[in-house]
Amino acid sequence: MKLQYMQCQSQRVALAGIFVILLPSFFPNLFAPLGRSYLSTFSEWNAPKPRHLPLLEGALHHQAVSSLKGCSLTSGLPCPTKDRNPVSTLLRSLVSSLNDALPKKSEGYIQVFLDGGLNQQRMGYLSSKICDAVAVAKILNATLVLPHLEVNPVWQDSSSFPDIFDVDHFINVLKDEVSIVQQLPNEYFWSTREYYATGIRAIRIKTAPSHASAHWYLENVLPVLQSYGIAAIAPFSHRLAFDNLPSDIQHLRCKVNFQALVFVPKIRMLGGVLVNRLRRSPDRNIAAGTKYLHERTGSVDKQEPGKFVVLHLRFDKDMAAHSACDFGGGKAEKVLNSQFTDEELRNQGRCPLTPEDIGLLLAALGFSNSTRPLYLASHKVYGGEARISTLRKLFPLMEDKKSLASADELAEVDGKASVLAAIDYYVSMQSDIFISASPGNMHNALVGHRAYINLKTIRPNMVLLGQLFLNRSMTWSEFQQAIQNGHKNRQGQERRSNPYIHILLLIACVELNEYDRRL
């Protein structure tokens, strides 16, 4: 009897477990408060087959019968020319013209707590917030304490500012504009993140509105500084306006972004190693196990460095879920409470590009499967390696951090999403061409940074791509022609627009759709 009872209990426990696992699939509305959409774990296990098979077959056939010649990495795309971009020329002149003397007496110390961490999606976000923090210190004539990076709850990354950026360089470059210290004086030893988390504090500013004006800071934060000698702004996210600021503050933001923020030596060193290997001869010595490249000497080192392309593949699970778009996951992929259908979202260009989508785009633009390496800058792709397999079919020479570096080289940065993202950013800045699969913070930061030094960047036409991929009857030749026509003016060429407005947009790191609308 006792044995029968135990067996019954075991069955109940098993059934309860199955019910808990399946509950979100049968009753998705119960989980709506968790976010706009819900992606089942099963969708990670069942990566869909290629959604554009006719186009994929056309692209593979085209690559098999054609070869690209000349110095260009892509067919029909000109090599980037130097000193022809009025935006970057004016930008550099504005940065060099900063000469406002630093006041002798500071009003007090400003602390800022930056949320989000530094991962593939937050790279541009973080750098823009650091720019804002320096700008606020300048507005208030305050001494900025080195920004504190909050632990990211998603990536569980506790990297600090000194883990990512060269602190001495940061302070030295800005020393004539803003006073910056690494730590508070001993008299303010109590002013820690934990201190502000334990209760309401008179010196904590937590009501700063989004995109607050300079006047708001002068009215609300300056009196706190003058009364207590210190003010802590937490959280500090989108807390400074982009428009209607004095020109010297806008110029200062630019100087912070493009001159003061430099990665620490270990990031630059490993990034440089990866760049060097990408530029070497495609005749690679691949070894099993942890070592990938045989370091060569002699004649190979004297060869002209090759060119390479960086693809920022921004397609993680969280982004896919919040886009409310359908990515072929079937019933296992639930999208809730969306105001638009998948077709409407794609017609508006609001769906992130999958690895398959971006591969077809590159092939249509003329990138060959036999050109120099394509470097994949990415953290974790929704759907795993199965999602990337189509992209690898089109570009078998594609590389990433794991394929280029040895296990020993990666050991020091393994598990540190912030450092890994910084390495990808460094490699991206050294590439001959950069292309991002979808707009976002890191995309915007790199577009602005590369425009500043006149490097080629291809910006996908999201609206055009969304509409083309909805057309299931389109042939490869039609798709290729439409892509090339739709991207003639999206490859980093000189633009006839108000260069000063263009500069402000770059510094502000606004979303790409807003960026495109104003140009």
Side-chain angles (χ1 to χ4, degrees):
M1 193 69 162
K2 183 177 181 180
L3 179 61
Q4 186 178 7
Y5 174 79
M6 292 178 63
Q7 290 176 340
C8 185
Q9 284 293 97
S10 298
Q11 291 175 351
R12 289 176 180 173
V13 171
L15 289 172
I18 294 173
F19 176 77
V20 170
I21 293 174
L22 297 178
L23 184 62
S25 298
F26 291 110
F27 303 101
N29 289 329
L30 294 176
F31 295 83
L34 298 178
R36 274 185 59 197
S37 53
Y38 160 73
L39 292 182
S40 168
T41 305
F42 297 121
S43 60
E44 293 280 7
W45 301 343
N46 301 305
K49 295 179 180 179
R51 307 185 71 189
H52 314 293
L53 192 56
L55 291 179
L56 175 61
E57 291 174 346
L60 291 171
H61 176 73
H62 177 77
Q63 288 186 337
V65 299
S66 63
S67 60
L68 300 179
K69 298 179 180 180
C71 72
S72 178
L73 283 169
T74 59
S75 177
L77 298 182
C79 295
T81 56
K82 297 294 181 181
D83 298 323
R84 289 183 55 84
N85 192 329
V87 172
S88 57
T89 303
L90 180 56
L91 195 57
R92 285 192 290 270
S93 67
L94 288 175
V95 172
S96 61
S97 68
L98 281 171
N99 56 8
D100 288 347
L102 183 66
K104 293 182 178 180
K105 183 180 179 181
S106 168
E107 295 288 352
Y109 294 93
I110 281 286
Q111 287 180 291
V112 294
F113 299 92
L114 309 183
D115 61 327
L118 174 69
N119 53 56
Q120 290 289 6
Q121 289 69 45
R122 295 285 188 170
M123 176 65 198
Y125 170 87
L126 179 60
S127 61
S128 68
K129 293 308 104 185
I130 294 172
C131 296
D132 287 351
V134 174
V136 167
K138 178 72 173 180
I139 291 169
L140 298 174
N141 184 28
T143 298
L144 177 67
V145 183
L146 210 62
H148 174 86
L149 311 186
E150 302 276 30
V151 176
N152 185 279
V154 176
W155 305 99
Q156 291 298 307
D157 189 353
S158 58
S159 299
S160 64
F161 189 104
D163 290 332
I164 310 298
F165 300 109
D166 188 325
V167 174
D168 292 336
H169 178 86
F170 181 73
I171 294 175
N172 184 61
V173 168
L174 299 173
K175 68 181 188 313
D176 294 330
E177 283 81 41
V178 178
S179 175
I180 303 174
V181 296
Q182 296 192 43
Q183 296 179 345
L184 284 168
N186 290 336
E187 61 187 289
Y188 298 109
F189 73 93
W190 43 266
S191 187
T192 63
R193 187 67 184 92
E194 293 73 21
Y195 172 77
Y196 295 108
T198 58
I200 299 174
R201 310 294 180 184
I203 60 174
R204 177 186 174 184
I205 311 296
K206 62 177 183 178
T207 57
S210 295
H211 309 305
S213 66
H215 182 71
W216 186 93
Y217 281 95
L218 291 171
E219 274 197 340
N220 295 274
V221 183
L222 184 58
V224 176
L225 280 175
Q226 293 172 335
S227 298
Y228 300 96
I230 185 172
I233 306 177
F236 189 77
S237 171
H238 301 294
R239 302 305 179 193
L240 183 62
F242 298 147
D243 302 321
N244 301 319
L245 284 177
S247 60
D248 63 314
I249 299 299
Q250 301 286 22
H251 302 168
L252 178 60
R253 274 174 160 167
C254 178
K255 185 172 185 178
V256 175
N257 208 25
F258 298 134
Q259 293 186 9
L261 288 175
V262 172
F263 293 128
V264 294
K266 72 174 182 179
I267 291 176
R268 301 200 304 269
M269 185 176 298
L270 182 53
V273 167
L274 299 184
V275 170
N276 180 53
R277 293 172 184 175
L278 284 165
R279 292 197 182 282
R280 289 196 177 190
S281 169
D283 180 19
R284 304 183 184 282
N285 180 19
I286 305 177
T290 59
K291 294 184 179 179
Y292 174 74
L293 289 176
H294 174 65
E295 298 295 344
R296 303 187 178 195
T297 57
S299 60
V300 173
D301 291 334
K302 297 178 182 179
Q303 292 181 359
E304 288 293 323
K307 298 184 178 185
F308 72 97
V309 182
V310 167
L311 167 62
H312 178 224
L313 187 56
R314 186 175 180 237
F315 193 69
D316 60 76
K317 186 175 182 179
D318 183 65
M319 179 184 183
H322 285 85
S323 70
C325 300
D326 175 18
F327 296 103
K331 293 182 179 180
E333 186 177 291
K334 303 292 183 180
V335 178
L336 306 178
N337 301 332
S338 175
Q339 300 178 18
F340 305 97
T341 65
D342 178 74
E343 183 175 350
E344 289 172 332
L345 290 170
R346 293 187 183 279
N347 272 312
Q348 296 170 19
R350 294 170 60 179
C351 292
L353 298 180
T354 67
E356 178 186 0
D357 295 342
I358 195 68
L360 291 171
L361 168 64
L362 292 177
L365 286 173
F367 286 84
S368 169
N369 59 357
S370 60
T371 56
R372 292 272 179 170
L374 177 72
Y375 179 83
L376 184 63
S378 181
H379 182 63
K380 186 177 181 181
V381 174
Y382 165 53
E385 185 60 30
R387 279 272 189 190
I388 307 177
S389 60
T390 303
L391 182 60
R392 292 195 187 279
K393 285 181 183 179
L394 289 165
F395 302 101
L397 296 180
M398 187 168 65
E399 309 279 13
D400 56 26
K401 294 180 289 293
K402 291 182 179 179
S403 67
L404 283 172
S406 70
D408 291 340
E409 289 169 328
L410 290 175
E412 189 176 354
V413 297
D414 187 39
K416 299 180 179 179
S418 297
V419 178
L420 291 171
I423 292 171
D424 277 342
Y425 190 100
Y426 181 92
V427 174
S428 298
M429 281 303 302
Q430 307 302 315
S431 67
D432 298 276
I433 296 178
F434 172 78
I435 182 169
S436 181
S438 299
N441 289 305
M442 187 166 178
H443 169 99
N444 292 337
L446 278 161
V447 166
H449 201 163
R450 289 175 65 87
Y452 176 65
I453 55 178
N454 260 352
L455 294 177
K456 179 182 282 292
T457 301
I458 298 177
R459 300 180 298 119
N461 187 330
M462 301 296 289
V463 174
L464 173 65
L465 286 164
Q467 295 170 354
L468 291 179
F469 285 130
L470 286 172
N471 187 344
R472 301 294 182 180
S473 62
M474 179 170 283
T475 65
W476 171 251
S477 59
E478 292 171 336
F479 177 80
Q480 186 178 36
Q481 187 63 47
I483 288 294
Q484 292 183 359
N485 290 339
H487 287 80
K488 285 182 178 179
N489 298 317
R490 305 181 70 88
Q491 298 152 20
Q493 295 97 331
E494 178 177 320
R495 300 187 187 287
R496 294 186 178 181
S497 60
N498 185 325
Y500 186 70
I501 295 298
H502 196 158
I503 292 166
L504 300 187
L505 292 173
L506 292 176
I507 298 172
C509 293
V510 297
E511 291 300 321
L512 186 60
N513 56 0
E514 178 70 5
Y515 177 83
D516 286 335
R517 183 180 68 80
R518 295 193 186 187
L519 291 182

